[in-house]
């Protein structure tokens, strides 16, 4: 339906691809029908569709990592709040302070993973932006 995307060897040889705006009436009808069905679906159907999409994402390796990381951040962040409010009973103030510190250190470690552990991707992105600005 669309022309194949160019596969350049060098980033400087990329040329814009023009895609024809002419589509068949059958394609338009199928898309219109799909959009109407999605917009007219019930709240329950929307929730089911969203959960199916979420589960499809979580089944991928990056999705599993993201889900576990998000759960741990939320869990230990909530633990800090609950210990500070005193809603989790402890035997003494010292024990409570110790658990607040442990929770705080775990959250700090989790945030350090994204801050320091993703440096290679940040370097690659910076390099690509540099080349895009040079074009």
């Amino acid at each position: 339906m669309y022309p194949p995307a160019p596969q350049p060897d060098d980033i400087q040889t990329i040329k814009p691809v023009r895609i024809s705006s002419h589509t068949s009436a059958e394609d338009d009808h199928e898309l219109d029908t799909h959009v109407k069905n999605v917009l007219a679906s019930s709240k329950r159907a929307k929730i089911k569709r969203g959960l199916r999409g979420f589960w499809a994402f979580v089944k991928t390796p990056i999705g599993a990592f993201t889900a576990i990381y998000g759960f741990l951040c939320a869990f230990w962040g909530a633990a800090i709040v609950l210990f500070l409010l005193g809603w989790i009973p402890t035997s003494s103030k010292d024990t409570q302070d110790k658990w607040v510190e442990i929770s705080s250190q775990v959250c700090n470690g989790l945030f350090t993973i994204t801050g320091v552990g993703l440096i290679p991707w940040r370097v690659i992105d910076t390099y690509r932006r540099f080349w895009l600005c040079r074009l």
Side-chain angles (χ1 to χ4, degrees):
M1 181 151 82
Y2 295 112
Q7 300 293 326
D9 294 333
D10 187 6
I11 195 166
Q12 295 176 349
T13 62
I14 294 178
K15 304 264 190 281
V17 176
R18 293 192 179 195
I19 298 175
S20 173
S21 62
H22 302 291
T23 59
S24 68
E26 183 179 317
D27 290 340
D28 287 344
H29 178 67
E30 285 180 27
L31 181 61
D32 289 342
T33 304
H34 174 71
V35 169
K36 285 178 186 175
N37 288 339
V38 168
L39 293 176
S41 60
S42 67
K43 193 171 197 175
R44 180 182 175 107
K46 288 179 184 179
I47 291 172
K48 280 179 72 173
R49 189 174 57 250
L51 289 175
R52 275 197 311 265
F54 175 73
W55 180 245
F57 174 67
V58 170
K59 288 192 301 187
T60 64
I62 193 73
F65 177 76
T66 303
I68 291 169
Y69 177 80
F71 172 77
L72 289 174
C73 286
F75 177 81
W76 287 104
I80 292 172
V81 171
L82 295 177
F83 278 120
L84 287 173
L85 291 174
W87 289 3
I88 298 177
T90 55
S91 58
S92 68
K93 178 75 171 138
D94 291 336
T95 307
Q96 180 182 2
D97 290 345
K98 183 172 77 171
W99 276 106
V100 168
E101 183 63 27
I102 289 170
S103 301
S104 192
Q105 291 294 328
V106 170
C107 279
N108 190 12
L110 288 169
F111 296 142
T112 301
I113 288 172
T114 58
V116 176
L118 298 178
I119 285 179
W121 285 277
R122 290 179 181 175
V123 169
I124 291 170
D125 290 343
T126 304
Y127 175 77
R128 289 177 180 161
R129 287 180 187 166
F130 170 75
W131 278 106
L132 285 175
C133 289
R134 280 191 71 201
L135 294 178

